[in-house]
Amino acid sequence: DAGVIQSPRHEVTEMGQEVTLRCKPISGHDYLFWYRQTMMRGLELLIYFNNNVPIDDSGMPEDRFSAKMPNASFSTLKIQPSEPRDSAVYFCASSLRHQNTEAFFGQGTRLTVV
Amino acid sequence: AQTVTQSQPEMSVQEAETVTLSCTYDTSESNYYLFWYKQPPSRQMILVIRQEAYKQQNATENRFSVNFQKAAKSFSLKISDSQLGDTAMYFCAFMNTGNQFYFGTGTSLTVIP
C-alpha cells in the first residue's frame, strides 16, 4: 500500500479564497483523522471519522472549516473563506480499529494564506 | 479529557550518547496506548515505538526504549547511541479505547556530531 496520500503538498492562496485539502487513507482503515500543526499549538486534532461518519469535530476551529468523507477512500478538509491565521501544515492520518494500532500519517499539506 | 505534556521544547545530545525525552499524560482510563512519533525535516510522521498500558514490560525497539510508569502517568523515551539521523521533532501520543489520538507539543532533538 502507498500509505496515506495527501494532496496538494503545498498550497498558497489569497485570503478569502476557498481551499480544499484532500486525503486518501490506507485501504481498509476505518478511522481517519485531520490534524493541524503550527509552531504555537503543535498538533491539534480537528476532526475524525469512523466508517466515514464524523465522530468528533470539536477541534474544528470555526464554521469556516468543514470536512467530509463521502466514501472509505477519500476525505476533504475545506476552508472557506481562508484567512492568514489558517496557515499551517495539515495532516491526514488513518488507522484500524484494532488494539495497539498506530495512526499512519500522510506527508501533510503546507498551507499558506497570504 | 486526556492531555499529553512534553515539558522539553528542545534538547541536544552528542552523537553516540544517550538522551531521554520526557512525556506525561493525564487520563481516567485504565486501558490505553502510548506512542512516540518522530518527525524529521521531511515532515513525515514516523512511528518510533508503542506501549500498551496493560503491559508492565517496557517496550524496546533497537536503540529506542521507553520507561513507562503507569501510576505516575509517565512515558519517557530513551535513545541510546544517538545518531545524526535521530535529529527530529519527537511527539508523544496517547490513544484511548475510542481510537482517538492526543499529541504532546513535541520536543526538538538535535544530535551534535
Side-chain angles (χ1 to χ4, degrees), chain B:
Chain B
Q2 288 88 356
T3 59
V4 179
T5 303
Q6 292 179 250
S7 59
Q8 305 153 314
E10 296 180 354
M11 292 193 73
S12 61
V13 62
Q14 290 290 137
E15 194 176 5
E17 296 296 308
T18 296
V19 65
T20 299
L21 309 183
S22 65
C23 173
T24 59
Y25 58 94
D26 186 26
T27 183
S28 58
E29 299 189 21
S30 59
N31 195 21
Y32 48 86
Y33 307 90
L34 297 162
F35 306 87
W36 278 97
Y37 280 86
K38 169 185 177 181
Q39 187 182 37
S42 66
R43 221 168 63 201
Q44 180 68 47
M45 293 285 278
I46 304 165
L47 177 69
V48 173
I49 199 166
R50 71 164 70 89
Q51 173 81 42
E52 294 91 335
Y54 61 86
K55 287 187 178 179
Q56 291 186 335
Q57 186 174 7
N58 288 325
T60 299
E61 288 286 342
N62 301 314
R63 297 182 296 107
F64 299 87
S65 62
V66 299
N67 183 5
F68 174 48
Q69 302 288 329
K70 191 171 184 179
K73 296 179 182 175
S74 169
F75 182 61
S76 60
L77 173 70
K78 185 172 81 172
I79 306 174
S80 304
D81 186 24
S82 298
Q83 301 175 0
L84 296 179
D86 296 334
T87 292
M89 280 289 287
Y90 287 81
F91 291 94
C92 177
F94 169 100
M95 184 182 81
N96 61 19
T97 51
N99 257 48
Q100 192 165 4
F101 280 83
Y102 299 86
F103 285 84
T105 51
T107 296
S108 177
L109 176 67
T110 301
V111 179
I112 303 168

Side-chain angles (χ1 to χ4, degrees), chain A residues 21-55:
Chain A
L21 312 181
R22 297 172 175 80
C23 174
K24 181 181 186 305
I26 292 174
S27 177
H29 281 192
D30 51 2
Y31 278 79
L32 184 140
F33 308 84
W34 281 102
Y35 289 90
R36 177 172 68 177
Q37 185 180 31
T38 61
M39 290 295 291
M40 292 296 292
R41 294 184 296 271
L43 268 169
E44 302 172 277
L45 176 64
L46 300 178
I47 184 172
Y48 77 98
F49 297 82
N50 176 217
N51 292 323
N52 314 339
V53 176
I55 302 301

Side-chain angles (χ1 to χ4, degrees), chain A:
Chain A
D1 198 312
V4 176
I5 300 173
Q6 290 186 247
S7 63
R9 286 294 308 277
H10 305 274
E11 177 78 39
V12 180
T13 189
E14 291 186 346
M15 181 174 62
Q17 296 297 306
E18 176 180 295
V19 176
T20 300
L21 312 181
R22 297 172 175 80
C23 174
K24 181 181 186 305
I26 292 174
S27 177
H29 281 192
D30 51 2
Y31 278 79
L32 184 140
F33 308 84
W34 281 102
Y35 289 90
R36 177 172 68 177
Q37 185 180 31
T38 61
M39 290 295 291
M40 292 296 292
R41 294 184 296 271
L43 268 169
E44 302 172 277
L45 176 64
L46 300 178
I47 184 172
Y48 77 98
F49 297 82
N50 176 217
N51 292 323
N52 314 339
V53 176
I55 302 301
D56 185 351
D57 65 354
S58 59
M60 297 285 261
E62 301 170 33
D63 291 345
R64 298 184 296 105
F65 286 69
S66 62
K68 294 182 180 179
M69 192 165 185
N71 56 62
S73 60
F74 184 65
S75 177
T76 60
L77 177 67
K78 184 179 294 185
I79 308 172
Q80 165 65 19
S82 58
E83 297 182 4
R85 60 195 169 113
D86 301 331
S87 298
V89 178
Y90 290 81
F91 283 98
C92 175
S94 70
S95 70
L96 262 176
R97 184 56 168 122
H98 286 317
Q99 296 189 353
N100 91 334
T101 185
E102 71 270 25
F104 293 82
F105 284 76
Q107 293 269 48
T109 296
R110 181 177 293 280
L111 173 65
T112 303
V113 183
V114 298

